[in-house]
Amino acid sequence: MIALIEEIKQGQIWDFHGGIHPPENKRQSSEFSILPAEIPNEIVLPLKQHIGTTGQLLVAVGEKVLKGQPLTKSDILQCCPVHAPTSGDVIAIEPRTIAHASGLSETCIVIRPDFDDKWCDKVSMSDFHTALPEILIDHIRMMGIAGMGGAGFPSARKLQTALARTKVLIINGAECEPYITADDRLMQEYAKEIIQGVEVLQRIVSPKLTVLALEDNKPEAITALKAAVAGKPDILVQVVPTKYPSGGEKQLIKLITGKEVPAKSIPAAIGVMMQNVGTVFAIKRAVIDGEPLIERVVTLTGNTLREQRNRWALLGTPVRFLLDKHGYEPEKKLERLIIGGPMMGYTVPHADVPVTKVTNCVLVPSRREIAPSQGEMACIRCSACAEVCPASLLPQQLQWYAKDQDFDKCQEYDLFDCIECGACAYVCPSEIPLVQYYRQAKAEIRTRDAEKVAAERARERFEAKKVRMEREKQQREARHKLAADNRRKAMEKSGDGDAIAAAIARVKAKSEQSSTETAVKPAVAAAIARAKAKQAEAASQGQSEPDNSEMKLLREERKRQARERKAQMESIGPEKGADDSSAGSEKKDAVAAAIARAKARKAAQQTDSETPAQNAAVESETAADVDPKKAAVAAAIARAKARKTAQHADVEAPAQDAAVESEAAADVDPKKTAVAAAIARAKARKAGQHADVEAPAQDAAVENETAADVDPKKAAVAAAIARAKARKAAQQTDSDARAQDTAVDNEIVAEADSKKAAVAAAIARAKARKAEQQTQSSTESHSQEKVDVDAEAPSPTPAADVDPKKAAVAAAIARAKARKAAQKKTNDEDK
């Protein structure tokens, strides 16, 4: 590197491949000084004016801002903040058309100037010689400095990558693009300020040599810079031949150092850093003067302007405002507005686009000045584009692949090494817009790469989430395990461990027992299995049916025993049968006891229909001497409670008796006993329902008769309520009886499991109903006769030597105790 530096100091100049010499057209604007900036009526500031990311908004609509106030912020080097060019009010934040080759819109801050041009507080670093490079870089970033040569790369980012790597610092003042003279006039008028900016850069990157490179077509600028660097041996002014595009970064590095920047690499990789002269001047104003980048020099040129000159323009100034200041007269047939030079510039749809940090020229040529294209024609493969390409590429192949959207091939042929200088399109005889194809292909590739990066980041986030969730799951399980261990240890210390272990053992035992019980097959399955075994045995012996002679004999014997038991039970009285049932515990005794209880209840129900009237008459006569009203009410309440308890017991008893009878009869014959048990249950339910229907009516009649002595009106109301309750109970009982009969029929059909059993069950039910109807009719007639006899018979009277009141009370108490004892005994037997 030392030898190279010596060669550079001696004036050694290298050359690069290709290049062209288009007409310069610089004298129209380079012979006059730069005009000062003027404040327009509206300023439109795009949030993004550089290569990189957009900053975060710091202002809102309606706020007042000062000149130099930051409007966006960011903490990364790849983002440059935007500052207010003048003081005024923020009137809108909305999308506007920007100066870009795509002609699309982006978010912009719209400011209405107040023309006071009042500055905010400036932050300068005039003692930059002692400041750390990192502090200077951060200050440059905060001032929004970006490359002003046309690319717009953030200067802070470039300086960061060049730290401790730069051997040669090159200041680009070549300005090779035709028509553009902004850098030329800046070097002529602000040469000393540019050198101060060079010193700031030297403080940051510490190069061994600094070279100010200019083309030989700028004699005034060369003279001014040489005068400014007098006495500074480490700063060299180097003049290079005029050749387009010598102002390109890689091409100028090749001219000054003779080295080529590797593909897909940066100049810092070979120890070189380059900055534009406009960028250097902006760095000087930011560091020494404390002014952010809010204005720049713009070349206004073209034959449609009355005055072609350079002018300071506030960032965000509409281009139309500048053109009006310079007497713009557009052509009627062909109006063209180009941002940049004729080689690398692009047309915009209208003149309301704003000036940005990279707007160095506004070109409005006439039709004769720059002839319009006649249209694209077929390529004749003349190879002129490859000969003039300064990057030594193959423009013809790149255009084919870009047109076919073969982006992999485009990258294989180093598409991104193209600097879009336009030399290939300039020499193409077929007038193929090669640069437009390259720009579109680059945009597509960048979009595709961005999607790949986003997908990769999403995959990484997903995998990280899975790892995190798995880690949290393991941690949670570990915590639960530790907590369980701690609880176990605490229980062992407190002595509760044995109790918990015993409880767990009991639960396990119950679970195993229940699973065993559910696994055991019922008796029906066992009987079917035995039948199948017999059939298989008979089939193996050659018989069509198995030998069931033994089963027939056993069945006949069980029938005979059942008949004997039935005759024996009929000979035993109800009370004795009940006493024997409480003493015995076998199935035979249970069957006998159940039948006896059923007969006793039926007789009691028939007797109850006669008893209430007699009891009411006795009680009413006896209580007349004590207190007619109180005695009648007390007696009625006692009788109602007794009957209600007896009815509740009568409803529950038949079902229990039927269950006992069905269990006892299971040993005789499964099918026939099932049918008989179902019939018995049906009879019991029906008898209980009949008693339930008659009882409420009888109670209501007794209560009405008794309450008649108390109060006629109240007695009438009570009687009506009692009758309504009796009707409601009867209706509910009838509906329940029908549902129960249906359930009984279903049970009978299911248990019979054959046509014969179903027919037998139906016949049995019919006979039972017929017998019941006959019995009921005979009972009703007998009851009617008894009622007539009782009506004719005289009422019982107490003995002459006995107190009538005490005798009546004693009789009522005795009857209540008898009923209570009978109910208790019945409940004990059922249990």
Side-chain angles (χ1 to χ4, degrees):
M1 183 61 68
I2 297 176
L4 176 62
I5 291 173
E6 291 298 326
E7 291 181 359
I8 294 173
K9 288 182 178 180
Q10 293 176 5
Q12 177 68 37
I13 297 296
W14 286 265
D15 196 6
F16 60 88
H17 178 270
I20 57 176
H21 295 82
E24 296 180 4
N25 292 318
K26 292 180 178 290
R27 288 296 174 185
Q28 296 94 319
S29 57
S30 64
E31 296 180 352
F32 305 97
S33 61
I34 303 173
L35 295 173
E38 293 189 18
I39 301 174
N41 294 326
E42 185 180 76
I43 291 178
V44 181
L45 279 173
L47 298 183
K48 182 179 176 182
Q49 304 182 29
H50 58 281
I51 295 176
T53 59
T54 304
Q56 181 182 355
L57 273 171
L58 295 177
V59 295
V61 177
E63 291 188 17
K64 186 174 181 61
V65 295
L66 299 177
K67 186 176 183 179
Q69 178 181 335
L71 305 179
T72 62
K73 69 173 183 178
S74 178
D75 296 331
I76 60 176
L77 295 174
Q78 200 69 18
C79 178
C80 293
V82 177
H83 299 76
T86 185
S87 59
D89 299 320
V90 178
I91 61 173
I93 299 176
E94 60 187 13
R96 293 286 187 94
T97 306
I98 63 171
H100 192 268
S102 64
L104 298 177
S105 300
E106 286 192 5
T107 304
C108 300
I109 301 173
V110 183
I111 299 175
R112 181 187 295 115
D114 57 9
F115 299 97
D116 292 338
D117 207 27
K118 184 179 179 180
W119 273 93
C120 65
D121 295 335
K122 297 181 180 181
V123 180
S124 62
M125 298 182 66
S126 55
D127 56 345
F128 66 90
H129 297 91
T130 59
L132 294 175
E134 292 79 6
I135 296 176
L136 292 173
I137 292 175
D138 188 66
H139 183 76
I140 291 171
R141 179 185 66 83
M142 294 297 293
M143 291 296 175
I145 309 301
M148 301 175 69
F153 197 84
S155 300
R157 178 64 176 170
K158 183 180 285 190
L159 293 170
Q160 184 70 33
T161 58
L163 281 177
R165 301 173 64 183
T166 303
K167 301 298 186 293
V168 178
L169 173 62
I170 299 177
I171 308 301
N172 186 355
E175 200 173 40
C176 59
E177 181 86 12
Y179 285 96
I180 304 177
T181 58
D183 291 344
D184 184 9
R185 290 306 309 180
L186 189 66
M187 289 186 287
Q188 294 182 38
E189 299 181 22
Y190 298 95
K192 292 182 179 180
E193 287 81 354
I194 292 173
I195 299 303
Q196 288 179 335
V198 171
E199 292 176 352
V200 174
L201 293 177
Q202 288 178 330
R203 172 60 185 170
I204 296 173
V205 299
S206 302
K208 297 184 179 299
L209 179 65
T210 302
V211 179
L212 278 78
L214 292 83
E215 284 186 337
D216 55 8
N217 60 352
K218 303 176 180 61
E220 295 86 357
I222 294 172
T223 303
L225 287 177
K226 286 184 176 180
V229 300
K232 299 180 184 298
D234 54 346
I235 301 177
L236 176 65
V237 177
Q238 185 68 277
V239 180
V240 298
T242 300
K243 182 181 179 182
Y244 182 83
S246 60
E249 184 178 55
K250 294 183 177 181
Q251 286 69 38
L252 188 58
I253 290 174
K254 181 66 181 296
L255 286 172
I256 299 298
T257 65
K259 292 185 176 183
E260 290 187 359
V261 179
K264 299 179 183 179
S265 185
I266 58 175
I270 59 174
V272 179
M273 188 188 76
M274 178 176 292
Q275 292 286 356
N276 181 263
V277 292
T279 308
V280 174
F281 181 75
I283 289 174
K284 178 265 174 185
R285 297 182 68 172
V287 174
I288 299 176
D289 301 330
E291 297 179 3
L293 181 56
I294 58 174
E295 61 180 359
R296 66 156 301 143
V297 179
V298 179
T299 301
L300 294 150
T301 184
N303 291 339
T304 57
L305 295 175
R306 290 196 302 268
E307 183 181 19
Q308 302 182 37
R309 296 183 63 174
N310 291 284
R311 172 186 286 277
W312 285 103
L314 299 177
L315 300 183
T317 301
V319 171
R320 187 181 302 278
F321 175 80
L322 300 177
L323 295 178
D324 292 341
K325 292 292 182 182
H326 288 257
Y328 176 53
E329 295 178 359
E331 287 192 348
K332 296 181 181 180
K333 293 183 179 180
L334 181 63
E335 181 180 359
R336 286 180 294 175
L337 176 59
I338 301 173
I339 302 297
M343 303 298 295
M344 299 183 67
Y346 51 86
T347 58
V348 291
H350 52 77
D352 293 326
V353 297
V355 174
T356 62
K357 296 177 182 180
V358 296
T359 306
N360 55 2
C361 178
V362 176
L363 175 61
V364 281
S366 63
R367 185 180 181 88
R368 293 183 179 180
E369 191 175 5
I370 299 178
S373 175
Q374 299 299 321
E376 178 181 349
M377 294 179 286
C379 176
I380 61 174
R381 302 184 183 182
C382 62
S383 72
C385 56
E387 293 176 359
V388 301
C389 179
S392 301
L393 301 177
L394 299 174
Q396 180 183 353
Q397 280 77 5
L398 286 174
Q399 187 261 342
W400 288 342
Y401 295 136
K403 196 172 183 178
D404 292 340
Q405 295 185 353
D406 190 350
F407 302 128
D408 292 333
K409 277 290 185 180
C410 289
Q411 290 182 288
E412 183 180 343
Y413 279 78
D414 299 323
L415 174 65
F416 283 92
D417 283 348
C418 174
I419 62 173
E420 303 178 15
C421 64
C424 53
Y426 180 80
V427 299
C428 180
S430 298
E431 297 188 11
I432 299 174
L434 297 170
V435 176
Q436 279 75 3
Y437 284 111
Y438 305 154
R439 285 174 178 169
Q440 185 175 2
K442 286 181 179 181
E444 293 288 345
I445 293 172
R446 289 191 185 102
T447 302
R448 186 182 63 176
D449 292 345
E451 292 176 354
K452 288 182 179 179
V453 171
E456 182 65 20
R457 288 179 180 174
R459 184 187 63 81
E460 292 176 356
R461 290 197 302 271
F462 177 73
E463 292 179 354
K465 180 182 178 181
K466 287 180 61 178
V467 172
R468 186 180 70 255
M469 293 179 66
E470 185 66 24
R471 182 174 63 253
E472 291 176 355
K473 181 181 178 182
Q474 294 176 358
Q475 292 175 356
R476 186 166 55 253
E477 291 177 353
R479 288 196 302 270
H480 292 171
K481 185 177 180 181
L482 180 61
D485 294 340
N486 294 336
R487 286 195 299 270
R488 192 178 298 107
K489 292 178 181 178
M491 288 186 294
E492 290 176 356
K493 290 181 180 180
S494 61
D496 296 337
D498 298 336
I500 293 174
I504 293 172
R506 287 197 300 273
V507 172
K508 289 183 179 179
K510 288 182 181 178
S511 177
E512 293 176 357
Q513 183 178 0
S514 63
S515 62
T516 306
E517 290 176 357
T518 55
V520 175
K521 295 182 178 180
V524 175
I528 293 172
R530 288 195 299 272
K532 288 184 178 179
K534 288 181 180 180
Q535 289 179 358
E537 184 178 359
S540 63
Q541 294 178 2
Q543 299 177 1
S544 60
E545 293 183 359
D547 186 8
N548 294 328
S549 59
E550 294 182 3
M551 295 300 298
K552 291 179 180 179
L553 293 175
L554 290 174
R555 190 177 297 110
E556 293 296 331
E557 181 64 22
R558 285 196 297 270
K559 289 180 181 179
R560 186 185 63 78
Q561 293 176 359
R563 286 193 295 271
E564 290 179 358
R565 285 195 299 270
K566 184 176 181 181
Q568 185 179 1
M569 285 186 291
E570 289 178 354
S571 63
I572 299 172
E575 296 179 356
K576 185 177 178 181
D579 296 336
D580 293 340
S581 65
S582 62
S585 60
E586 296 181 357
K587 292 182 178 179
K588 295 179 180 180
D589 296 337
V591 173
I595 294 172
R597 285 195 303 273
K599 290 181 178 180
R601 288 192 187 91
K602 189 172 181 180
Q605 291 171 2
Q606 293 177 359
T607 305
D608 288 340
S609 63
E610 301 173 359
T611 304
Q614 296 174 356
N615 293 339
V618 173
E619 290 175 0
S620 61
E621 290 179 0
T622 306
D625 298 333
V626 183
D627 189 355
K629 295 182 180 180
K630 296 182 179 179
V633 172
I637 292 171
R639 285 197 300 277
K641 290 183 178 179
R643 287 191 187 93
K644 188 174 183 181
T645 307
Q647 290 166 8
H648 182 69
D650 291 341
V651 173
E652 295 179 351
Q656 297 175 354
D657 295 340
V660 174
E661 291 174 4
S662 62
E663 291 177 359
D667 297 334
V668 180
D669 189 357
K671 295 182 179 179
K672 291 184 179 180
T673 53
V675 174
I679 293 171
R681 287 196 299 273
K683 288 181 178 181
R685 291 192 187 97
K686 192 166 184 179
Q689 294 163 5
H690 182 68
D692 291 339
V693 173
E694 292 179 353
Q698 294 173 358
D699 292 342
V702 171
E703 290 176 2
N704 293 336
E705 291 175 2
T706 305
D709 298 335
V710 181
D711 189 356
K713 293 183 179 180
K714 294 183 178 179
V717 173
I721 295 172
R723 286 195 300 275
K725 290 183 178 179
R727 290 192 194 97
K728 187 174 182 182
Q731 293 173 1
Q732 185 175 2
T733 307
D734 291 340
S735 62
D736 294 341
R738 285 194 294 272
Q740 290 174 357
D741 290 341
T742 304
V744 169
D745 293 341
N746 294 335
E747 291 179 1
I748 292 171
V749 173
E751 291 173 355
D753 196 21
S754 66
K755 293 183 178 179
K756 293 180 180 181
V759 173
I763 293 170
R765 285 197 302 275
K767 289 180 178 180
R769 290 193 186 96
K770 188 174 182 180
E772 184 178 358
Q773 291 173 1
Q774 293 175 359
T775 304
Q776 184 176 0
S777 61
S778 63
T779 303
E780 290 176 356
S781 62
H782 178 70
S783 299
Q784 184 64 32
E785 292 175 0
K786 189 170 182 64
V787 170
D788 296 339
V789 172
D790 291 340
E792 295 175 359
S795 302
T797 56
D801 56 349
V802 181
D803 189 358
K805 296 180 181 180
K806 294 182 179 180
V809 173
I813 293 171
R815 285 196 301 274
K817 288 183 177 180
R819 289 193 190 95
K820 188 173 182 181
Q823 293 170 3
K824 183 176 181 182
K825 188 175 182 179
T826 302
N827 294 334
D828 295 338
E829 289 172 357
D830 293 339
K831 293 179 180 178

